[in-house]
Amino acid sequence: MWTLYHFALCPFSRKTRLALSEKDVSFDPVTVQPWDAPDEFYQLNPAGRTPVLHDAARRITLVDSQAICEYMEETVDRSPLVLGSAAQRAEIRRLVALFDQIFFADVTHPLLHEKMKKRLILRTAPDSTLLRSAMRLAHEHLDYIDWLVGNRRWLAGNQLSLADFAAAAQISVVDYLGGVDWNGHEEAQAWYRVMKSRPSFGPLLADKMEGLPPPRHYADVNS
Ligand SMILES: N[C@@H](CCC(=O)N[C@@H](CS)C(=O)NCC(=O)O)C(=O)O
């Protein structure tokens, strides 16, 4: 049985949870806070980053959301998420990297730092200039999602893929932190509503962090 060490507001943990659930891979979730994780977690991943997937009986430890998702693609036939021709798979991987790296650096990470870390750990006020800059960049990324879903059925093409889950995972964290303004992004919003309605999304929408409640609309699949 797999154990997934994850953090509720970690977009990479969320992407992994979505992919495992879509592929119907069962796991025991263990919540860790990267800044206050138990020794057993550091023994599995000395870098101290979530997510980590571990199977004690088989002595397998997988670290890094993309490594975990690719491992599942290679070992589980059900519900392929990196699919199609080599060119289509390359497009899926391009978009996964875009959301994992650029969206995270531009939007999710600054919001997590300003709104979560400063409030719960550092006990200081958020920097409004940094928040404004992250929100402006969020609009640019949502413009690109508008374009993608205006020109394709799903983000990477005709098929639902890991690109959709990587993007929705990032957006769900930003939405939890009150950082998504859908104004002018009706196409992206309609796509996100569909993602949010999938059964795999249910546990993510139920997540709550003590001392940092989500806005009321966060778990509403119609908004
Ligand atoms: N590339 C990694 C990124 C993982 C990552 O940055 N996790 C963050 C939480 S969202 C973390 O554990 N940070 C703690 C730290 O860097 O000390 C992946 O895809 O899994």
Side-chain angles (χ1 to χ4, degrees), residues 36-75:
D36 187 24
D39 287 350
E40 83 185 57
F41 176 71
Y42 278 102
Q43 276 157 18
L44 294 173
N45 181 15
R49 292 185 161 192
T50 54
V52 173
L53 191 66
H54 180 60
D55 184 331
R58 289 191 294 155
R59 296 184 182 196
I60 302 176
T61 304
L62 307 174
V63 173
D64 184 276
S65 65
Q66 196 55 23
I68 298 170
C69 291
E70 296 276 0
Y71 176 97
M72 291 302 155
E73 281 302 295
E74 290 170 15
T75 56

Side-chain angles (χ1 to χ4, degrees), residues 7 9-12 15 34 47-51 64-66 100 104 112:
F7 169 54
L9 290 187
C10 166
F12 308 105
K15 168 187 152 198
R49 292 185 161 192
T50 54
D64 184 276
S65 65
Q66 196 55 23
D100 279 3
F104 179 70
L112 277 170

Side-chain angles (χ1 to χ4, degrees), residues 72-89:
M72 291 302 155
E73 281 302 295
E74 290 170 15
T75 56
V76 179
D77 289 338
R78 280 185 304 276
S79 311
L81 296 175
V82 182
L83 69 176
S85 65
Q88 287 161 339
R89 296 198 304 278

